Amino acid sequence: MTDKTSDYKIATLGSHSALQILKGARDEGFKTMIIALKGRTQPYESFKVADEIIELESFKDLPGLEQRLIDENVILVPHGSFFSAYTDLEALNQSDALYFGNKKILPWEQSRTKQREWLKKAGLTLPKIYDKPEDIDGPCIIKFYGAGGGKGYFLAKTAEEFYEKIKPHKDKRYIIQQYIVGAPLYVHYFYSPLTGELEVMSMDKRYETNVDSIGRISAKDQLDLNIESSYNIMGNLPVVVRESMLPQIFSMGEEVVKVSKKLEPGGLTGPFCLETIVTPELEFYVFEISARIVAGTNPYINGSPYTDLRYKEPMSTGRRVAREIKLALESDEIEKVLINGN
Ligand code: AMP
Ligand code: AMP
Protein backbone atom coordinates (compact mmCIF):
# COMPACT_ATOMS: atom_id res chain seq x y z
CA MET A 1 0.00 0.00 0.00
CA THR A 2 1.43 3.39 -0.95
CA ASP A 3 1.57 6.12 1.64
CA LYS A 4 -0.71 8.83 0.29
CA THR A 5 -0.79 10.88 3.49
CA SER A 6 2.40 12.64 2.45
CA ASP A 7 0.58 14.12 -0.58
CA TYR A 8 -1.89 15.99 1.65
CA LYS A 9 -1.83 18.56 4.42
CA ILE A 10 -4.47 18.94 7.08
CA ALA A 11 -5.36 22.48 8.07
CA THR A 12 -7.86 24.32 10.20
CA LEU A 13 -8.57 27.78 11.55
CA GLY A 14 -6.80 28.88 14.71
CA SER A 15 -9.36 28.49 17.50
CA HIS A 16 -11.92 26.10 19.05
CA SER A 17 -10.46 22.56 18.63
CA ALA A 18 -7.54 23.33 16.32
CA LEU A 19 -4.87 22.03 18.70
CA GLN A 20 -6.60 18.66 18.88
CA ILE A 21 -7.22 18.47 15.12
CA LEU A 22 -3.61 19.25 14.23
CA LYS A 23 -2.12 16.96 16.87
CA GLY A 24 -4.38 14.16 15.61
CA ALA A 25 -3.40 14.84 12.00
CA ARG A 26 0.25 14.71 12.85
CA ASP A 27 -0.17 11.47 14.81
CA GLU A 28 -1.64 9.97 11.64
CA GLY A 29 1.33 11.13 9.56
CA PHE A 30 -0.04 14.26 7.86
CA LYS A 31 1.69 17.60 7.52
CA THR A 32 -0.27 20.29 9.35
CA MET A 33 -1.13 23.92 8.78
CA ILE A 34 -2.88 26.48 10.96
CA ILE A 35 -4.60 29.58 9.63
CA ALA A 36 -4.78 32.04 12.49
CA LEU A 37 -5.39 35.70 13.06
CA LYS A 38 -2.42 37.98 13.68
CA GLY A 39 -1.63 38.08 17.38
CA ARG A 40 -3.33 34.72 18.04
CA THR A 41 -0.66 32.27 16.89
CA GLN A 42 1.19 31.68 20.14
CA PRO A 43 -0.66 28.50 21.20
CA TYR A 44 0.17 26.89 17.84
CA GLU A 45 3.83 27.83 18.15
CA SER A 46 4.15 26.85 21.78
CA PHE A 47 2.31 23.51 21.59
CA LYS A 48 4.21 22.65 18.41
CA VAL A 49 1.30 21.12 16.50
CA ALA A 50 1.64 23.09 13.25
CA ASP A 51 4.23 22.59 10.53
CA GLU A 52 3.10 25.83 8.93
CA ILE A 53 1.48 28.87 10.45
CA ILE A 54 -0.38 31.27 8.20
CA GLU A 55 -1.32 34.62 9.68
CA LEU A 56 -4.26 36.63 8.44
CA GLU A 57 -5.33 40.15 9.36
CA SER A 58 -8.93 39.01 9.14
CA PHE A 59 -10.79 35.84 8.20
CA LYS A 60 -12.31 37.93 5.42
CA ASP A 61 -8.95 37.33 3.69
CA LEU A 62 -9.60 33.57 3.46
CA PRO A 63 -10.69 33.64 -0.20
CA GLY A 64 -7.25 35.07 -1.08
CA LEU A 65 -5.69 31.92 0.36
CA GLU A 66 -7.88 29.54 -1.58
CA GLN A 67 -5.63 28.90 -4.60
CA ARG A 68 -2.72 28.05 -2.32
CA LEU A 69 -4.87 25.59 -0.37
CA ILE A 70 -5.91 23.92 -3.61
CA ASP A 71 -2.38 23.83 -5.05
CA GLU A 72 -0.97 22.29 -1.87
CA ASN A 73 -3.67 19.59 -1.46
CA VAL A 74 -4.80 21.04 1.83
CA ILE A 75 -7.79 19.40 3.50
CA LEU A 76 -9.67 21.80 5.78
CA VAL A 77 -11.22 20.29 8.88
CA PRO A 78 -14.15 22.45 10.01
CA HIS A 79 -15.03 23.31 13.61
CA GLY A 80 -17.27 25.77 15.46
CA SER A 81 -15.29 28.86 14.50
CA PHE A 82 -15.74 28.22 10.76
CA PHE A 83 -19.23 29.63 10.76
CA SER A 84 -18.15 32.94 12.21
CA ALA A 85 -14.98 33.05 10.07
CA TYR A 86 -16.73 32.43 6.76
CA THR A 87 -19.26 35.20 6.61
CA ASP A 88 -22.04 32.84 5.61
CA LEU A 89 -22.70 29.33 4.39
CA GLU A 90 -22.67 30.57 0.82
CA ALA A 91 -19.03 31.68 1.17
CA LEU A 92 -18.08 28.30 2.59
CA ASN A 93 -19.99 26.49 -0.14
CA GLN A 94 -18.32 28.49 -2.87
CA SER A 95 -14.87 27.56 -1.65
CA ASP A 96 -13.29 24.84 -3.78
CA ALA A 97 -10.67 23.94 -1.19
CA LEU A 98 -10.87 20.33 0.03
CA TYR A 99 -13.18 20.14 3.00
CA PHE A 100 -13.67 17.24 5.43
CA GLY A 101 -17.27 16.15 5.91
CA ASN A 102 -20.45 16.72 3.96
CA LYS A 103 -21.15 20.36 3.12
CA LYS A 104 -24.67 19.43 2.07
CA ILE A 105 -25.55 18.74 5.70
CA LEU A 106 -24.52 22.23 6.84
CA PRO A 107 -27.86 23.93 6.08
CA TRP A 108 -29.55 21.29 8.25
CA GLU A 109 -27.33 22.26 11.14
CA GLN A 110 -27.49 25.99 10.59
CA SER A 111 -31.26 26.36 10.55
CA ARG A 112 -32.94 25.66 13.87
CA THR A 113 -36.16 24.72 12.03
CA LYS A 114 -34.36 22.19 9.85
CA GLN A 115 -32.51 20.79 12.87
CA ARG A 116 -35.82 20.13 14.60
CA GLU A 117 -37.23 18.44 11.52
CA TRP A 118 -34.16 16.18 11.37
CA LEU A 119 -34.16 15.30 15.08
CA LYS A 120 -37.91 14.70 15.17
CA LYS A 121 -37.71 12.41 12.16
CA ALA A 122 -35.10 10.46 14.13
CA GLY A 123 -37.72 9.92 16.85
CA LEU A 124 -35.89 11.95 19.52
CA THR A 125 -37.62 13.93 22.27
CA LEU A 126 -37.15 17.68 21.86
CA PRO A 127 -37.98 20.60 24.16
CA LYS A 128 -41.13 22.41 23.07
CA ILE A 129 -40.76 25.62 21.04
CA TYR A 130 -43.11 28.52 21.76
CA ASP A 131 -44.15 30.39 18.61
CA LYS A 132 -44.86 33.62 20.45
CA PRO A 133 -44.18 35.00 23.95
CA GLU A 134 -47.92 34.97 24.74
CA ASP A 135 -47.84 31.15 24.51
CA ILE A 136 -45.33 30.81 27.36
CA ASP A 137 -46.91 28.58 30.02
CA GLY A 138 -43.89 27.39 31.99
CA PRO A 139 -40.14 27.86 32.40
CA CYS A 140 -38.39 28.61 29.11
CA ILE A 141 -34.97 29.58 27.83
CA ILE A 142 -34.55 32.32 25.23
CA LYS A 143 -31.72 31.66 22.78
CA PHE A 144 -30.25 33.87 20.10
CA TYR A 145 -29.36 32.73 16.61
CA GLY A 146 -25.80 31.92 15.55
CA ALA A 147 -23.01 30.16 17.42
CA GLY A 148 -22.71 32.66 20.24
CA GLY A 149 -21.70 30.09 22.83
CA GLY A 150 -24.77 30.69 25.00
CA LYS A 151 -24.07 34.40 25.43
CA GLY A 152 -27.05 36.47 26.50
CA TYR A 153 -29.46 33.53 26.91
CA PHE A 154 -32.04 34.18 29.59
CA LEU A 155 -34.88 32.42 31.37
CA ALA A 156 -38.51 33.51 31.64
CA LYS A 157 -41.73 31.90 32.78
CA THR A 158 -44.31 34.46 31.62
CA ALA A 159 -44.77 36.71 28.59
CA GLU A 160 -44.38 39.72 30.87
CA GLU A 161 -41.02 38.56 32.14
CA PHE A 162 -39.95 37.81 28.55
CA TYR A 163 -40.73 41.35 27.34
CA GLU A 164 -38.85 42.86 30.26
CA LYS A 165 -35.74 40.74 29.73
CA ILE A 166 -35.62 40.99 25.93
CA LYS A 167 -35.25 44.80 26.10
CA PRO A 168 -31.41 44.91 25.91
CA HIS A 169 -31.46 42.50 22.93
CA LYS A 170 -33.25 44.68 20.40
CA ASP A 171 -33.29 43.35 16.80
CA LYS A 172 -31.68 40.01 17.68
CA ARG A 173 -33.37 36.88 16.31
CA TYR A 174 -34.33 34.43 19.06
CA ILE A 175 -36.25 31.28 19.86
CA ILE A 176 -38.24 30.53 22.99
CA GLN A 177 -37.62 26.97 24.11
CA GLN A 178 -39.07 24.96 26.98
CA TYR A 179 -36.53 24.87 29.82
CA ILE A 180 -35.81 21.27 30.81
CA VAL A 181 -34.75 20.74 34.40
CA GLY A 182 -32.04 18.09 34.35
CA ALA A 183 -28.35 17.46 33.75
CA PRO A 184 -26.76 18.65 30.50
CA LEU A 185 -24.93 15.93 28.59
CA TYR A 186 -23.11 16.39 25.27
CA VAL A 187 -22.45 13.12 23.45
CA HIS A 188 -19.65 13.08 20.87
CA TYR A 189 -20.13 10.57 18.07
CA PHE A 190 -18.18 9.60 14.96
CA TYR A 191 -19.85 8.04 11.96
CA SER A 192 -17.62 6.40 9.38
CA PRO A 193 -19.06 6.27 5.87
CA LEU A 194 -16.24 3.85 5.04
CA THR A 195 -17.25 1.17 7.55
CA GLY A 196 -20.87 2.25 8.10
CA GLU A 197 -20.21 2.13 11.84
CA LEU A 198 -21.16 4.61 14.54
CA GLU A 199 -18.70 5.16 17.40
CA VAL A 200 -19.27 6.89 20.72
CA MET A 201 -16.06 8.87 21.20
CA SER A 202 -16.62 10.74 24.45
CA MET A 203 -19.00 12.99 26.40
CA ASP A 204 -18.75 16.30 28.19
CA LYS A 205 -20.67 18.82 30.13
CA ARG A 206 -20.02 22.47 29.62
CA TYR A 207 -18.56 24.81 32.16
CA GLU A 208 -20.65 27.91 31.76
CA THR A 209 -20.45 31.23 33.43
CA ASN A 210 -22.23 32.08 35.54
CA VAL A 211 -24.78 29.22 35.80
CA ASP A 212 -22.15 26.72 36.84
CA SER A 213 -20.83 28.87 39.66
CA ILE A 214 -23.96 30.56 40.89
CA GLY A 215 -24.39 27.78 43.48
CA ARG A 216 -21.36 29.24 45.29
CA ILE A 217 -23.50 32.20 46.25
CA SER A 218 -26.36 31.67 48.69
CA ALA A 219 -29.89 32.05 47.31
CA LYS A 220 -30.37 35.09 49.51
CA ASP A 221 -27.25 36.79 48.13
CA GLN A 222 -28.28 35.91 44.58
CA LEU A 223 -31.55 37.73 45.14
CA ASP A 224 -29.94 40.66 46.98
CA LEU A 225 -27.34 41.13 44.24
CA ASN A 226 -29.99 40.72 41.55
CA ILE A 227 -27.89 38.13 39.70
CA GLU A 228 -29.22 36.85 36.37
CA SER A 229 -28.01 33.48 35.16
CA SER A 230 -26.00 33.43 31.95
CA TYR A 231 -24.72 30.53 29.82
CA ASN A 232 -21.52 31.80 28.25
CA ILE A 233 -19.24 28.82 27.65
CA MET A 234 -15.72 29.01 29.10
CA GLY A 235 -14.64 25.38 29.15
CA ASN A 236 -15.67 21.73 29.18
CA LEU A 237 -15.61 18.94 31.74
CA PRO A 238 -15.38 15.20 31.03
CA VAL A 239 -18.38 12.97 31.75
CA VAL A 240 -18.85 9.21 31.78
CA VAL A 241 -22.45 7.98 32.00
CA ARG A 242 -24.11 5.04 33.71
CA GLU A 243 -23.36 2.06 31.52
CA SER A 244 -27.07 1.22 31.31
CA MET A 245 -27.62 4.49 29.44
CA LEU A 246 -25.28 3.50 26.60
CA PRO A 247 -27.73 1.42 24.51
CA GLN A 248 -30.04 4.40 24.20
CA ILE A 249 -27.13 6.71 23.43
CA PHE A 250 -26.06 4.45 20.56
CA SER A 251 -29.58 4.13 19.19
CA MET A 252 -30.17 7.92 19.25
CA GLY A 253 -26.99 8.42 17.23
CA GLU A 254 -27.88 5.66 14.80
CA GLU A 255 -31.32 7.10 14.11
CA VAL A 256 -29.83 10.55 13.48
CA VAL A 257 -27.36 9.09 10.97
CA LYS A 258 -30.07 7.02 9.26
CA VAL A 259 -32.31 10.08 8.79
CA SER A 260 -29.38 12.24 7.59
CA LYS A 261 -28.91 9.91 4.63
CA LYS A 262 -32.49 10.54 3.59
CA LEU A 263 -32.03 14.31 3.94
CA GLU A 264 -28.93 14.61 1.76
CA PRO A 265 -26.80 12.27 -0.36
CA GLY A 266 -23.89 11.07 1.76
CA GLY A 267 -25.62 12.10 5.01
CA LEU A 268 -23.67 12.81 8.16
CA THR A 269 -19.98 12.11 7.76
CA GLY A 270 -17.48 12.08 10.60
CA PRO A 271 -17.92 13.67 14.02
CA PHE A 272 -21.17 15.03 15.39
CA CYS A 273 -22.65 15.82 18.77
CA LEU A 274 -26.08 15.48 20.33
CA GLU A 275 -26.66 18.13 22.96
CA THR A 276 -29.05 16.80 25.57
CA ILE A 277 -30.57 17.43 28.95
CA VAL A 278 -31.16 14.25 30.99
CA THR A 279 -34.17 14.46 33.32
CA PRO A 280 -34.47 12.79 36.74
CA GLU A 281 -36.40 10.00 34.96
CA LEU A 282 -33.26 9.53 32.79
CA GLU A 283 -35.13 10.68 29.73
CA PHE A 284 -33.06 12.44 27.04
CA TYR A 285 -34.26 15.77 25.68
CA VAL A 286 -32.15 16.67 22.64
CA PHE A 287 -31.98 20.42 22.15
CA GLU A 288 -29.37 20.66 19.42
CA ILE A 289 -27.12 18.78 17.01
CA SER A 290 -23.65 19.88 15.88
CA ALA A 291 -22.68 18.19 12.62
CA ARG A 292 -18.89 18.44 13.12
CA ILE A 293 -16.26 18.21 15.84
CA VAL A 294 -17.30 20.03 19.02
CA ALA A 295 -14.92 21.66 21.50
CA GLY A 296 -16.28 19.37 24.21
CA THR A 297 -13.91 16.74 22.77
CA ASN A 298 -10.90 18.84 23.85
CA PRO A 299 -10.46 17.20 27.27
CA TYR A 300 -9.75 13.96 25.37
CA ILE A 301 -6.70 14.83 23.29
CA ASN A 302 -5.17 11.71 24.79
CA GLY A 303 -8.30 9.61 24.19
CA SER A 304 -11.38 9.07 26.36
CA PRO A 305 -12.45 6.13 28.53
CA TYR A 306 -14.63 5.05 25.57
CA THR A 307 -11.98 5.31 22.85
CA ASP A 308 -9.60 3.55 25.24
CA LEU A 309 -11.88 0.52 25.09
CA ARG A 310 -11.83 0.35 21.32
CA TYR A 311 -8.42 1.59 20.22
CA LYS A 312 -4.94 0.43 21.07
CA GLU A 313 -3.61 4.00 20.92
CA PRO A 314 -4.85 7.35 22.26
CA MET A 315 -7.67 8.32 19.88
CA SER A 316 -9.06 11.83 20.05
CA THR A 317 -11.89 12.89 17.76
CA GLY A 318 -9.35 15.06 15.90
CA ARG A 319 -7.15 12.04 15.34
CA ARG A 320 -10.17 9.94 14.33
CA VAL A 321 -10.90 12.51 11.58
CA ALA A 322 -7.34 12.20 10.27
CA ARG A 323 -7.55 8.40 10.50
CA GLU A 324 -10.73 8.46 8.39
CA ILE A 325 -9.03 10.61 5.76
CA LYS A 326 -6.05 8.27 5.75
CA LEU A 327 -8.24 5.15 5.40
CA ALA A 328 -10.23 6.81 2.60
CA LEU A 329 -7.02 7.68 0.75
CA GLU A 330 -5.72 4.15 1.12
CA SER A 331 -8.93 2.61 -0.21
CA ASP A 332 -9.43 5.22 -2.96
CA GLU A 333 -12.72 6.39 -1.44
CA ILE A 334 -11.79 9.97 -0.60
CA GLU A 335 -15.00 11.24 -2.21
CA LYS A 336 -16.92 9.57 0.64
CA VAL A 337 -15.37 11.85 3.26
CA LEU A 338 -14.85 15.10 1.33
CA ILE A 339 -18.30 16.03 0.03
CA ASN A 340 -18.75 19.38 -1.64
CA GLY A 341 -21.95 21.39 -1.35
CA ASN A 342 -22.43 22.21 -5.01
P1 AMP B 1 -14.28 30.75 19.51
O1 AMP B 1 -13.36 30.53 18.35
O2 AMP B 1 -13.72 30.33 20.86
O3 AMP B 1 -14.90 32.12 19.54
O4 AMP B 1 -15.51 29.73 19.28
C1 AMP B 1 -16.39 29.80 18.23
C2 AMP B 1 -17.71 29.21 18.66
O5 AMP B 1 -17.57 27.82 18.99
C3 AMP B 1 -18.25 29.86 19.93
O6 AMP B 1 -19.11 30.92 19.64
C4 AMP B 1 -18.95 28.74 20.64
O7 AMP B 1 -20.30 28.64 20.20
C5 AMP B 1 -18.25 27.50 20.21
N1 AMP B 1 -17.28 27.07 21.23
C6 AMP B 1 -16.03 27.54 21.39
N2 AMP B 1 -15.40 26.92 22.39
C7 AMP B 1 -16.27 26.02 22.87
C8 AMP B 1 -16.20 25.08 23.93
N3 AMP B 1 -15.10 24.93 24.66
N4 AMP B 1 -17.28 24.28 24.13
C9 AMP B 1 -18.36 24.42 23.40
N5 AMP B 1 -18.50 25.31 22.40
C10 AMP B 1 -17.47 26.11 22.15
P1 AMP C 1 -26.72 25.95 23.60
O1 AMP C 1 -25.98 27.21 23.26
O2 AMP C 1 -28.02 25.81 22.86
O3 AMP C 1 -25.83 24.76 23.46
O4 AMP C 1 -27.12 26.02 25.13
C1 AMP C 1 -26.24 26.51 26.14
C2 AMP C 1 -26.62 25.98 27.52
O5 AMP C 1 -27.95 26.34 27.85
C3 AMP C 1 -26.60 24.47 27.64
O6 AMP C 1 -25.34 23.96 27.96
C4 AMP C 1 -27.54 24.22 28.78
O7 AMP C 1 -26.91 24.45 30.02
C5 AMP C 1 -28.56 25.28 28.60
N1 AMP C 1 -29.74 24.85 27.86
C6 AMP C 1 -29.93 24.98 26.52
N2 AMP C 1 -31.17 24.56 26.16
C7 AMP C 1 -31.77 24.15 27.29
C8 AMP C 1 -33.08 23.64 27.59
N3 AMP C 1 -33.99 23.47 26.63
N4 AMP C 1 -33.37 23.34 28.87
C9 AMP C 1 -32.43 23.52 29.85
N5 AMP C 1 -31.22 24.03 29.63
C10 AMP C 1 -30.87 24.34 28.38
Side-chain angles (χ1 to χ4, degrees), residues 130 133 136-143 153-166 176-179 228-229 231:
Y130 295 94
I136 295 175
D137 59 359
C140 56
I141 179 165
I142 289 78
K143 302 182 176 185
Y153 289 6
F154 63 87
L155 303 183
K157 53 183 183 314
T158 59
E160 218 174 22
E161 195 179 345
F162 168 86
Y163 283 118
E164 189 54 38
K165 290 184 174 172
I166 197 78
I176 307 173
Q177 194 176 79
Q178 176 190 7
Y179 185 85
E228 284 288 348
S229 42
Y231 296 80

Side-chain angles (χ1 to χ4, degrees), residues 15-16 80-81 147-149 206 233 236 295-296:
S15 194
H16 193 272
S81 308
R206 290 177 168 193
I233 179 96
N236 307 81

Side-chain angles (χ1 to χ4, degrees), residues 112 127-128 141 143-144 146 148-151 153 155 177-182 184 186 205-206 208 211-212 231-233 275-277 285 287-288:
R112 288 203 192 258
K128 192 158 81 180
I141 179 165
K143 302 182 176 185
F144 298 101
K151 208 170 170 184
Y153 289 6
L155 303 183
Q177 194 176 79
Q178 176 190 7
Y179 185 85
I180 308 298
V181 180
Y186 291 68
K205 64 176 273 188
R206 290 177 168 193
E208 294 165 335
V211 278
D212 288 322
Y231 296 80
N232 204 1
I233 179 96
E275 314 191 349
T276 76
I277 305 279
Y285 277 80
F287 61 90
E288 208 167 312

Side-chain angles (χ1 to χ4, degrees), residues 4-51:
K4 295 187 184 167
T5 52
S6 54
D7 294 341
Y8 290 84
K9 280 181 201 170
I10 289 187
T12 194
L13 305 183
S15 194
H16 193 272
S17 44
L19 290 167
Q20 182 195 157
I21 291 169
L22 295 194
K23 158 107 171 74
R26 184 175 279 171
D27 286 345
E28 291 300 304
F30 288 96
K31 288 268 175 249
T32 60
M33 176 195 275
I34 191 82
I35 305 165
L37 295 180
K38 274 221 166 78
R40 311 202 61 170
T41 55
Q42 194 182 359
Y44 310 103
E45 288 159 17
S46 173
F47 293 121
K48 304 198 186 306
V49 291
D51 296 310

Side-chain angles (χ1 to χ4, degrees), residues 14-16 40 79-82 84 146-150 204 206 233-236 292 294-296 298:
S15 194
H16 193 272
R40 311 202 61 170
H79 54 55
S81 308
F82 267 60
S84 37
D204 79 297
R206 290 177 168 193
I233 179 96
M234 54 81 57
N236 307 81
R292 52 178 163 80
V294 289
N298 284 338

Side-chain angles (χ1 to χ4, degrees), residues 108-109 111-127 177 189 252-253 255-257 259-260 263 268 272-276 285-290:
W108 291 92
E109 181 192 8
S111 148
R112 288 203 192 258
T113 324
K114 287 188 145 186
Q115 268 207 16
R116 281 185 78 78
E117 189 186 328
W118 178 4
L119 297 173
K120 275 191 174 163
K121 275 187 180 152
L124 305 182
T125 309
L126 278 64
Q177 194 176 79
Y189 297 92
M252 292 192 310
E255 289 308 314
V256 164
V257 171
V259 172
S260 77
L263 300 178
L268 253 181
F272 68 100
C273 173
L274 290 182
E275 314 191 349
T276 76
Y285 277 80
V286 180
F287 61 90
E288 208 167 312
I289 179 168
S290 295

